[in-house]
Amino acid sequence: MLEDLLPPSVVTVEAFGDDPGEPCFPGEEDLVATAVDSRRREFVTARRCAREALAGLGFTPAPIRPGPRREPIWPAGVVGSITHCTGYRAAAVARTADLESLGIDAEPHAPLPPRVLPAVTTPADRDHLAGLAARDPSVHWDRLLFCAKEAVYKAWFPVTRRWLGFEEASLTVDRERGTFAARIHVDSPWPALHGRWQVAGGLVTAAVTVTGEPAAAN
């Protein structure tokens, strides 16, 4: 599914289930030593997806350790992103010669819990969601917005090394084109980040790619 959202320079690998007997890759065991079994399985599968994606760029298998915000630390010359949700794990990687950064996210296609929506949206977001829902109630636009903002953050942090709160980016979704733009409300290398989204197979997926050129504000 992610392949449709990303340029050809990005290698993606997806998995729709876990092997309960699959061991942790050497050098990663401590990262899930105290995790519950479900968390351990999703971690092992998602990291395997990441190594398979890196193999597509010519890298040999190696541990993928986390950084200070639990972001994956990629080999030199690589940008990438990992996502996992119920029934789905995926990774996407590219060379820095092709992209400055990228972010992916996947979520179940279901409404956000009511208490979550105010925490992840701006007033402008909520007005935009209401308009989208009036035109097409078949999509859970609140979940799409959450998914897209997660993808935005995953692309933002590796370059800026700064936290980006949900309220510090407002989203505009193009329903017909399957695209979105996130306007950034804090100091940023880009006035906006742009991405693509889709709903398929009971999932919402979103992907953001950043080139060396600043994004144009909408």
Side-chain angles (χ1 to χ4, degrees):
M1 291 187 291
L2 282 173
E3 190 175 48
D4 297 334
L5 305 181
L6 291 160
S9 58
V10 180
V11 179
T12 61
V13 175
E14 300 168 304
F16 295 87
D18 303 315
D19 176 358
E22 183 177 4
C24 278
F25 191 82
E28 295 177 350
E29 299 95 337
D30 63 302
L31 301 178
V32 286
T34 61
V36 298
D37 188 56
S38 59
R39 166 59 184 152
R40 179 192 170 281
R41 290 200 306 270
E42 73 181 16
F43 174 90
V44 169
T45 305
R47 282 301 201 270
R48 169 166 47 82
C49 289
R51 269 182 285 277
E52 291 178 3
L54 286 169
L57 295 180
F59 288 86
T60 57
I64 302 171
R65 302 289 299 181
R69 293 282 184 177
R70 298 174 57 193
E71 78 282 6
I73 299 176
W74 302 103
V78 172
V79 294
S81 185
I82 296 174
T83 188
H84 49 76
C85 67
T86 302
Y88 184 74
R89 326 314 186 186
V93 297
R95 295 191 180 277
T96 53
D98 296 314
L99 292 177
E100 185 172 356
S101 191
L102 68 90
I104 62 171
D105 196 63
E107 301 286 334
H109 185 222
L112 280 177
R115 62 180 176 79
V116 173
L117 185 62
V120 300
T121 56
T122 66
D125 286 332
R126 291 190 286 276
D127 289 344
H128 186 49
L129 289 175
L132 290 167
R135 293 192 295 274
D136 184 358
S138 68
V139 175
H140 296 296
W141 297 105
D142 54 350
R143 183 71 71 162
L144 167 59
L145 181 141
F146 178 83
C147 182
K149 284 196 176 186
E150 285 286 308
V152 166
Y153 176 74
K154 291 177 182 181
W156 156 277
F157 182 78
V159 175
T160 65
R161 313 307 295 179
R162 302 200 311 270
W163 178 260
L164 182 70
F166 283 105
E167 76 284 357
E168 293 175 329
S170 55
L171 215 69
T172 302
V173 177
D174 189 313
R175 182 171 63 93
E176 288 77 18
R177 295 182 180 179
T179 61
F180 60 87
R183 186 179 296 277
I184 309 300
H185 302 305
V186 295
D187 288 341
S188 168
W190 323 281
L193 291 173
H194 298 264
R196 301 186 60 81
W197 63 271
Q198 67 176 356
V199 175
L203 297 171
V204 180
T205 50
V208 172
T209 54
V210 182
T211 65
E213 295 297 323
N218 283 347

